[in-house]
Each structure stands twice: as structure tokens, then as C-alpha cells.
Amino acid sequence: MPNTIDPRPADRPRTRGAQKVWVATVSLIVLSIAIPALALDSRCEKYPDRPKCEATDGDTTTTTTLPPEITTTTTVPPEPTTTMPVPNLFDAVSVIGCSNTHHSATGYADLSDVDLLVNTAWAGHTVKYWASNTTPWTEHYLPLRPLDGFDGAWLNLCERAVEGLTLENVELVLAKIWEIDLGIPVWISPLNYYENEECLVTNGNQIPTDGSLIADVLVADHELVLRGPDLGPLSEELLRADQCHPNRDGTEFLGSQLVGFFDT
């Protein structure tokens, strides 16, 4: 049998001394690791934003950064500017006035390719007559009115010296137009001009000067009132024997001026 030799008694203390040294060394290593870790934990509780305190890739904690609030600015478009369309964009424009107006509209109908004007004027229907009677409305305006109404009106300011032409009567005619066809534009013109400045008829004089002044006043005061064409002047060669109403050539002359205004 092989001899089993126990350490000598003298060697046993030396072995126990080595073990103590090894235990002490291991303890120092553990403390060197634990103490800094504890210190780091303490600092991270107080200063969590330190670089060493940030979570590693394997950390299950996620940090969500919310985007800044978005300020929404709503731009309201400006209100459209209201401008009156040009006459030739309309379908039907009534004609209000007297016999001279009727002649002018007749000349227009003969020459126009658009046929915009609807001739509701008739003999003797001065502004005062339109303002104070229902006949021109019931017998001329309404029977020729389209089912969906007129788009506009041309008001020729006929007058007689014995009746005169007043702003009040013109405004009454405007009110009647807008009562039937609400909000339509109205072009206003004085009676056609004459080379001799006035028209002599049995009932007195028809002078366009007052009509021009009233037309300008109404255009300035009302958004729906527009300045119509100034027709004429009619020379003696373009007049009938009464020196007031246009003859055939005069009718075409006035009609051509209406075409130039309303159809272009």
C-alpha cells in the first residue's frame, strides 16, 4: 500500500495562514466592486440624467418624447368683392320708359345678335306714369317677364315739362322693379339727347339734362344702380315731323348705341 503521509504538525499552521490570505483577498475584490456600485446607485437616484445612469440597450425601460404642440392657424379667405357683371352676361334685361325708349329698343332688336333687351316700354309711359300707375307693370312688364324673372333693367328717364322729373318718382320706379325682381341691377339713362337740346311735343318739352343729373345721384347712392348709356344726339334728319320721335334712321341710330353698350 502506498504510504499516506499526513502533513506534519509543523505544516498545518502554514496552510491555515494561506487560506486566510486568500479569503481576505477575495473580500477586498468584492468590496471594490460593491462599494462603487452602491455609490453609483446613490448618485443616480439624485442625478438620473448622468451618462452612467442611462439605461443600456438591454434595459426594458423606454423613454417616450412627446412632440411639441402644433399650433394650427386657420386662414379665412377674404369675402369676394362684389362687382356688377357686364351687361352681356345677362339673359334678359327689361326696358322701362316711353315711346322714345320703345323706338330705341326696337332699333336694338333689329341690329342685335344677342337679343338681351326685352322691350317693355310703351308710348306715354313717363317716369311719373310708371311710378303712379299699375298699367305699365301689368300690361307690359309682367307679360313679357321670363318665368325666372329679369336679370336686370334699363330705365330711360322720360319726362314732360308739365309733369317734371323728380328724384322721388324715379325712386318709386326703382322700388317697384325690386319688388318684382329683387336685387337686380338697374341701368339708368336720361332721355336721348337732341342737337336742338329739347323735344317739342303737344304736352310740353322733354329735356334730358335733369335726367342725367338724377341718374348720377342715384348711381352714387345705390349699389344696384348703374349708369346707362347716353343716347343721341338726334339731328333733324333723324327725327319725325314732330321733332321729338326718331324716324327709321333715328331708330337704328339709337339702337346701334344700345348694341354698343349692352352687347359688347
Side-chain angles (χ1 to χ4, degrees):
M1 293 179 63
N3 293 329
T4 301
I5 301 175
D6 293 333
R8 294 190 301 268
D11 292 334
R12 290 176 182 171
R14 183 181 301 174
T15 301
R16 289 194 294 268
Q19 290 176 346
K20 289 180 181 180
V21 171
W22 182 84
V23 170
T25 301
V26 172
S27 299
L28 288 174
I29 293 173
V30 171
L31 289 175
S32 65
I33 296 173
I35 290 174
L38 292 173
L40 179 61
D41 290 343
S42 176
R43 289 194 297 272
C44 286
E45 289 180 2
K46 188 173 182 179
Y47 307 105
D49 58 343
R50 294 174 66 90
K52 291 184 178 181
C53 299
E54 294 178 353
T56 62
D57 293 340
D59 198 328
T60 57
T61 303
T62 57
T63 302
T64 303
T65 303
L66 296 177
E69 292 185 2
I70 300 174
T71 302
T72 303
T73 302
T74 302
T75 303
V76 179
E79 292 293 330
T81 304
T82 302
T83 56
M84 299 308 302
V86 294
N88 63 354
L89 296 181
F90 287 69
D91 292 326
V93 173
S94 64
V95 175
I96 298 175
C98 56
S99 55
N100 278 37
T101 312
H102 179 76
H103 280 286
S104 301
T106 298
Y108 168 88
D110 291 340
L111 300 173
S112 176
D113 294 327
V114 178
D115 292 330
L116 174 68
L117 299 183
V118 180
N119 191 358
T120 57
W122 206 251
H125 292 174
T126 62
V127 168
K128 183 178 179 180
Y129 192 84
W130 281 92
S132 56
N133 291 274
T134 60
T135 301
W137 303 99
T138 58
E139 294 186 2
H140 301 289
Y141 192 95
L142 292 176
L144 295 175
R145 181 176 179 266
L147 292 178
D148 55 351
F150 285 113
D151 300 310
W154 175 49
L155 174 56
N156 197 201
L157 300 183
C158 301
E159 60 177 307
R160 288 197 177 105
V162 293
E163 297 175 350
L165 182 66
T166 66
L167 179 62
E168 180 183 5
N169 281 337
V170 179
E171 289 183 328
L172 285 175
V173 175
L174 290 174
K176 288 180 179 290
I177 294 173
W178 291 328
E179 181 181 346
I180 300 172
D181 291 302
L182 180 65
I184 64 171
V186 180
W187 286 268
I188 295 186
S189 300
L191 181 71
N192 54 265
Y193 286 85
Y194 299 86
E195 284 189 354
N196 294 328
E197 295 186 357
E198 60 185 31
C199 163
L200 299 178
V201 292
T202 307
N203 300 67
N205 298 335
Q206 296 194 54
I207 306 173
T209 307
D210 293 341
S212 179
L213 295 175
I214 290 177
D216 292 338
V217 169
L218 291 171
V219 168
D221 290 345
H222 297 274
E223 292 183 358
L224 292 174
V225 176
L226 308 173
R227 191 65 162 81
D230 290 328
L231 303 184
L234 292 176
S235 64
E236 291 186 4
E237 292 77 15
L238 298 176
L239 291 172
R240 291 183 177 181
D242 61 10
Q243 297 295 297
C244 178
H245 297 96
N247 56 26
R248 183 59 190 174
D249 291 339
T251 295
E252 290 189 357
F253 172 64
L254 298 178
S256 67
Q257 292 179 317
L258 289 177
V259 169
F261 182 86
F262 284 104
D263 292 5
T264 59

